Each structure stands twice: as C-alpha cells, then as structure tokens.
Amino acid sequence: MLEDDSGVTKKRTLQLSSMSVSFRSHEMGEVELSCLAYAKMYLHASQFPRCSVNGLLLSSSPAGGDVCITDCVPLLHTHLSLAPITQLALTQVDAWCSQTHQRIMGYYQANACVSDSSPTPCALKIAEKIFEQCNNAVLLMIDGEKMFPGCRVPPIVMYERKDARWALKDKHTIMLRQWEETCAIVNQLFSSGDQALLVDFDSHLDDITKDWTNQKLNAKIMELISPANGNV
Amino acid sequence: MLSVSEMLKMRDKLRKWREENYRNSEQIVDVGEELLNEHASKLGDDIWIIYEQVMIAALDCSRDDLAWSCLQELKRQFPDSHRVKRLAGMRLEALERYEDANKLYDSILQDDPTNTAARKRKISILRAQGKSSEAIRELNEYLEQFVGDQEAWHELSELYINEHDYAKAAFCLEELMMTNPHNHLYCEQYAEVKYTQGGLENLELARKYFAQALKLNNRNMRALFGLYMSASHIAASPKVSAKVKKDNMKYGAWAASQISRAYQMAGRGKKENKCSVKAVEEMLESMQITMS
C-alpha cells in the first residue's frame, strides 16, 4: 500500500486496475484514501474511544474511473444497529452529496472492542445497501489495536465485493499517499486541540447548530495539507 | 497555586460531575489531580470520595500512576472496605488482568453475597472480553434478584440492541418506561427499536412513542425526525385505510414544519451550518414528493 521504492509494485497494480476497468471486473482495483478522509475517520474513532463509531466514505471523482475516497462523513457513536437515525443520516448525506457533486462510495466502522476489528452484521448490512448504488463500494474497518502514536502501518482493513461476499482487499491496492505527512497532520490536530472540532451526525442531533459536514475542520486540515504537498 | 475561591469552584465542579454521573474523565483528572496535589488539606471529608472519583477517571485515561496513588490513600484510610476492594478490582480490569479481578470480586461476594457492585463488575468483565451471550445471561440472572436496578435494565437493553435482539431490547425499555414515565430518552429509544423491527404495527407504535417523547421534551430532535419518518412510511404504505393515510400525512406534515422551523432558527446567522440546513430542506422536499 505504500509506494514502493522501486516503483515495481505500483506499476503492476496500475496495469491491473486499467485492465479491470475494461473488463468491468473490480477485483484488483486500486483504491486511494485521501488525507482528509483518513484524518477525520481517525479523529472520529479517537473522540469516542468507548463506543463503536461509523461513517460514510465519499468520492468526488467520477464513477468508473480510479477510485478515490476524497472525504468522509462521521455518523454515529450510539446504537449503530438501530434503523431510524441511520436511514435519516443516509438520506441527508445523499442530499448533501448531490448538492456538492460527491457520491457515497463506502462505509467505515471502528468497533468499541478493539481486539475485534471484523465487520459486524450492521456494517455488512449498510455496506450492502451502498453497494446496491455503487458497484465498487468499499467497507473499511478501523483496527483500534493499531491506533497508537508511532504505529508504522495505517490502522485500517478494507473489504470489497467479490463473488457475492465481502472479501479482504489486498493491502497493496490501497493507496495512502504521503503517509508520514498524513500522520504528522493528525498529530498536529491533536496538539492544537482542533480534534475537538469534529462533529458527527449523532452530535449534530444533540445540538443542531453543530455542522456534520465539518466545514471548519475541513478548512483546518486543508490548511495543513497545502504547504507541504501538492495534491493529497 | 489557586485562590481559595478557585479551589472551591473546582471542588464544586467535581461534585456536579459526580452527582450527574458524567464520564468526562480527562477533565476530572485535570481538575482532580491539581486539587489533590495542592489542596488536599482543605478538602475535609470530601477528600475520600474525590480520591475515588479521580481514581476511576484516571483508569479511564490510562493514568495508572495516578490511579495507583489514589488507591493507596484509600487503602490506608479504609483497610477492610469492600468498596475499596472493588476499586482495586477495577484497576486490575484496566490492566486487562481479568482473572485476578474476578478473584477479587469473588472474594467480596463470598463475604457479602448481596454486593451488587461486585456482581456488576463481573458482568462488565464479560462485556470487555466480548462474551456478550454470557454477559446477557448473567445480567438476566442478576435482574431476577435485583428487579429495580435501572442501570442494569438499561445495560441489558444495550446488549440486546448490539445483538440485534430487538424484541428483548424492547422488553427492557418497557420496564424502564414503566418506572420512569417522564424520561423522554427511554420513550425515544423504545420507538427507535420498534421502528427497526419494522412492519405496520411496529411503525404505528414507533410513531406513538416518538410523539410521547416529544410531549415530554419538545426539543428532542431524534423524536421529531422519528415521528416524521414513521408517519411518512405509514402514509406511504398501500395497506392502510384512507383515514389512516390522511391522519399520518397530517402528523408527517406537522413534524416537517417543526423540523424546518428548528433548522431555520439554528441556521440563523451561522454561516457554518448552512450545508446541514440545506440538506434537511432537500430531504423534506424529496420525501414530500414520495408521500403524495
């Protein structure tokens, strides 16, 4: 998943992903995860360490091209498996996406019990619903055990749809550009206290003046991204 | 060093958090650590309960150093106390030494079989280990004996919700609603469970309980949205009579106008939540179309 020094691994997966586009098979498709999406997911899981949390993964790139998760919307930290608020959130995020030229293309979850990062029935159900609308949907589980400072691998496990079930995605097809810079940005958000800016849909319902689209936090993150890197 | 009045303010804050059962552990550790380090002599008898409060918060923040020193003070003052023993058990739990913790709790229960705190900690250990069915079984047994324990009923409802056993979760919430008829949160959670169970009958019950929650607290947004969604689904169902359809469209429309109004007020002057306001407006519009 990290860019290989020799460039060999990357080239091979790129070739395969262009093949996959023409054969309409998404088996070896590359998925890119942006710094913005990663940072907010991480902040969400950190804000509620005792709860299971979930959210939606968004993409602003056109369907059928390379898959890039450009943003995410943190949803719940209570009662993930109850229907009404989940339905409400999906509808509202959908509406917001059509206004902002994005689409829902995945789902993430972090389990309260850190030793078990396997997808729960609720995660599979919601991912299934997303797959009905988006045939390269991904399911991302956050691995709580790897969320400690100085951990050298991204604490994520990704699943994709293969043969009518959700299968583990090959690590080498998950791209996190500038991983070290991304980590530095997340650390910076914690030291500046800006991690507290994150609002999820649950918090929005507790106080509707809070913005679940996180415009303020997004701006802070983009500020941190732009000087160092061209395009993350 | 703090002035006396600042110190008193901090002490009062700690009391408020204790009485209202907040779990703002980082704050408690911040405030509590300073108070205990600098002003222990001025706290009087409060000091012991503050040690307990700060110790538990310290465990929550992985501050074993602070938890340990609080525990030592409490052990010194109350050498044979079951309450302190339970705190020692909680520290073992925080260190994931579950077997040792269980042994401690078992020794408390041997001495005093009615010690509910020790029994509940043993159930929490099962939960921490991911043993949900065992936790559920133990909690049910506990509730047969201690049928009035609200906290336990709520914990059980949460466990059932996680296991997708909505019927049993509803039963627990019914118990809670009976003994706490003015609690809008229980009504609203019950309604959410009913909605999740699905089917016309459950949707109608959901709508009724969302409405009840709103009567008890007209600012409960979940209840308001829940009322809107359940009424809309009932109205859109092909199985209902014309009268039921009309009534539910009326409820739905009322809820929609309340939602709109709440968001207008929330959006006033605040640039940053314009996006969420717009999203709600669009959602309400699109659902209007499907209803008619």
Short mmCIF file of all heavy atoms in Angstrom, two decimals, chain B residues 3 19 23 31 41 72 97 158-160 173 186 188 199 201 210 220 238 255:
data_model
loop_
_atom_site.label_atom_id
_atom_site.label_comp_id
_atom_site.label_asym_id
_atom_site.label_seq_id
_atom_site.Cartn_x
_atom_site.Cartn_y
_atom_site.Cartn_z
N SER B 3 -6.42 30.30 44.34
CA SER B 3 -7.01 31.00 45.48
C SER B 3 -8.06 30.08 46.10
O SER B 3 -8.46 29.09 45.49
CB SER B 3 -7.68 32.28 45.00
OG SER B 3 -8.82 31.95 44.25
N GLU B 19 -22.33 13.84 40.83
CA GLU B 19 -23.77 13.67 41.05
C GLU B 19 -24.51 13.39 39.75
O GLU B 19 -25.48 12.66 39.73
CB GLU B 19 -24.36 14.90 41.74
CG GLU B 19 -24.00 14.92 43.22
CD GLU B 19 -24.34 16.25 43.90
OE1 GLU B 19 -24.93 17.13 43.25
OE2 GLU B 19 -24.00 16.38 45.09
N ARG B 23 -19.02 11.28 32.40
CA ARG B 23 -17.81 10.49 32.22
C ARG B 23 -16.74 11.33 31.50
O ARG B 23 -16.08 10.85 30.59
CB ARG B 23 -18.13 9.23 31.43
CG ARG B 23 -17.02 8.19 31.53
CD ARG B 23 -17.43 6.91 30.84
NE ARG B 23 -16.30 6.00 30.69
CZ ARG B 23 -16.39 4.77 30.22
NH1 ARG B 23 -17.56 4.30 29.82
NH2 ARG B 23 -15.33 4.01 30.11
N VAL B 31 -8.65 18.49 36.77
CA VAL B 31 -9.10 19.25 37.94
C VAL B 31 -8.74 18.51 39.22
O VAL B 31 -8.17 19.08 40.15
CB VAL B 31 -10.64 19.47 37.87
CG1 VAL B 31 -11.16 20.05 39.16
CG2 VAL B 31 -10.99 20.37 36.70
N SER B 41 -5.35 19.20 52.01
CA SER B 41 -5.68 19.52 53.40
C SER B 41 -6.97 20.32 53.52
O SER B 41 -7.63 20.30 54.55
CB SER B 41 -4.53 20.31 54.03
OG SER B 41 -4.21 21.39 53.17
N GLN B 72 -3.83 3.80 46.97
CA GLN B 72 -3.04 3.65 48.21
C GLN B 72 -3.62 4.47 49.34
O GLN B 72 -3.74 4.00 50.47
CB GLN B 72 -1.58 4.06 47.98
CG GLN B 72 -0.82 3.19 47.01
CD GLN B 72 -1.14 1.73 47.18
OE1 GLN B 72 -0.90 1.13 48.23
NE2 GLN B 72 -1.72 1.13 46.15
N ARG B 97 -6.12 -7.55 33.55
CA ARG B 97 -5.84 -8.74 34.36
C ARG B 97 -7.16 -9.27 34.87
O ARG B 97 -7.47 -9.19 36.07
CB ARG B 97 -4.88 -8.39 35.49
CG ARG B 97 -3.46 -8.09 34.99
CD ARG B 97 -2.59 -7.47 36.05
NE ARG B 97 -2.59 -8.24 37.30
CZ ARG B 97 -1.96 -7.83 38.40
NH1 ARG B 97 -1.29 -6.69 38.40
NH2 ARG B 97 -2.01 -8.54 39.49
N GLU B 158 -29.03 -2.31 25.98
CA GLU B 158 -27.92 -2.02 25.06
C GLU B 158 -27.32 -3.31 24.51
O GLU B 158 -27.01 -3.42 23.33
CB GLU B 158 -26.81 -1.25 25.79
CG GLU B 158 -27.18 0.12 26.32
CD GLU B 158 -27.16 1.18 25.24
OE1 GLU B 158 -26.23 1.19 24.43
OE2 GLU B 158 -28.10 2.00 25.21
N LEU B 159 -27.15 -4.29 25.39
CA LEU B 159 -26.58 -5.57 24.96
C LEU B 159 -27.48 -6.22 23.91
O LEU B 159 -27.00 -6.73 22.89
CB LEU B 159 -26.40 -6.51 26.15
CG LEU B 159 -25.19 -6.22 27.04
CD1 LEU B 159 -25.24 -7.04 28.31
CD2 LEU B 159 -23.90 -6.52 26.30
N TYR B 160 -28.78 -6.21 24.17
CA TYR B 160 -29.71 -6.81 23.22
C TYR B 160 -29.71 -6.07 21.88
O TYR B 160 -29.77 -6.69 20.83
CB TYR B 160 -31.13 -6.85 23.79
CG TYR B 160 -31.39 -8.00 24.73
CD1 TYR B 160 -32.01 -7.80 25.96
CD2 TYR B 160 -31.04 -9.30 24.38
CE1 TYR B 160 -32.26 -8.85 26.82
CE2 TYR B 160 -31.28 -10.37 25.23
CZ TYR B 160 -31.89 -10.14 26.46
OH TYR B 160 -32.13 -11.18 27.31
N LEU B 173 -36.73 -1.88 27.68
CA LEU B 173 -37.10 -0.47 27.64
C LEU B 173 -38.50 -0.26 28.19
O LEU B 173 -38.79 0.78 28.79
CB LEU B 173 -36.96 0.07 26.21
CG LEU B 173 -35.50 0.23 25.78
CD1 LEU B 173 -35.37 0.35 24.26
CD2 LEU B 173 -34.89 1.48 26.42
N TYR B 186 -36.00 7.24 27.17
CA TYR B 186 -36.44 5.84 27.11
C TYR B 186 -37.54 5.69 26.06
O TYR B 186 -37.55 4.73 25.30
CB TYR B 186 -36.92 5.35 28.47
CG TYR B 186 -35.82 5.25 29.52
CD1 TYR B 186 -36.12 5.43 30.87
CD2 TYR B 186 -34.51 4.95 29.18
CE1 TYR B 186 -35.14 5.33 31.84
CE2 TYR B 186 -33.51 4.86 30.15
CZ TYR B 186 -33.84 5.05 31.48
OH TYR B 186 -32.86 4.96 32.44
N GLU B 188 -38.03 7.50 23.46
CA GLU B 188 -37.47 7.68 22.12
C GLU B 188 -36.68 6.44 21.70
O GLU B 188 -36.78 5.99 20.55
CB GLU B 188 -36.62 8.95 22.13
CG GLU B 188 -36.01 9.30 20.81
CD GLU B 188 -34.53 9.07 20.84
OE1 GLU B 188 -33.87 9.74 21.65
OE2 GLU B 188 -34.04 8.24 20.05
N GLY B 199 -42.55 -3.32 9.99
CA GLY B 199 -43.95 -3.79 9.91
C GLY B 199 -44.88 -2.69 10.36
O GLY B 199 -44.51 -1.85 11.18
N GLU B 201 -47.60 -2.48 12.27
CA GLU B 201 -47.96 -2.36 13.69
C GLU B 201 -46.83 -1.70 14.48
O GLU B 201 -47.08 -0.81 15.30
CB GLU B 201 -48.21 -3.75 14.24
CG GLU B 201 -49.39 -3.84 15.18
CD GLU B 201 -49.62 -5.28 15.61
OE1 GLU B 201 -50.20 -6.05 14.82
OE2 GLU B 201 -49.17 -5.61 16.71
N PHE B 210 -42.57 8.09 19.64
CA PHE B 210 -41.84 9.29 19.26
C PHE B 210 -42.63 10.51 19.70
O PHE B 210 -42.10 11.48 20.25
CB PHE B 210 -41.58 9.34 17.75
CG PHE B 210 -40.43 8.49 17.29
CD1 PHE B 210 -40.60 7.60 16.22
CD2 PHE B 210 -39.19 8.58 17.88
CE1 PHE B 210 -39.54 6.81 15.78
CE2 PHE B 210 -38.13 7.79 17.45
CZ PHE B 210 -38.32 6.90 16.39
N ASN B 220 -36.41 17.25 21.55
CA ASN B 220 -35.71 16.01 21.20
C ASN B 220 -35.77 15.81 19.69
O ASN B 220 -36.78 15.36 19.14
CB ASN B 220 -36.37 14.84 21.94
CG ASN B 220 -35.64 13.53 21.74
OD1 ASN B 220 -35.03 13.29 20.70
ND2 ASN B 220 -35.70 12.67 22.74
N PRO B 238 -49.29 0.87 1.15
CA PRO B 238 -50.53 0.55 0.42
C PRO B 238 -51.57 -0.18 1.27
O PRO B 238 -52.72 -0.32 0.88
CB PRO B 238 -50.03 -0.37 -0.71
CG PRO B 238 -48.76 -0.95 -0.20
CD PRO B 238 -48.15 0.05 0.73
N ALA B 255 -44.73 17.45 11.67
CA ALA B 255 -43.34 17.20 12.06
C ALA B 255 -42.38 17.92 11.11
O ALA B 255 -41.41 18.54 11.54
CB ALA B 255 -43.04 15.70 12.07
#
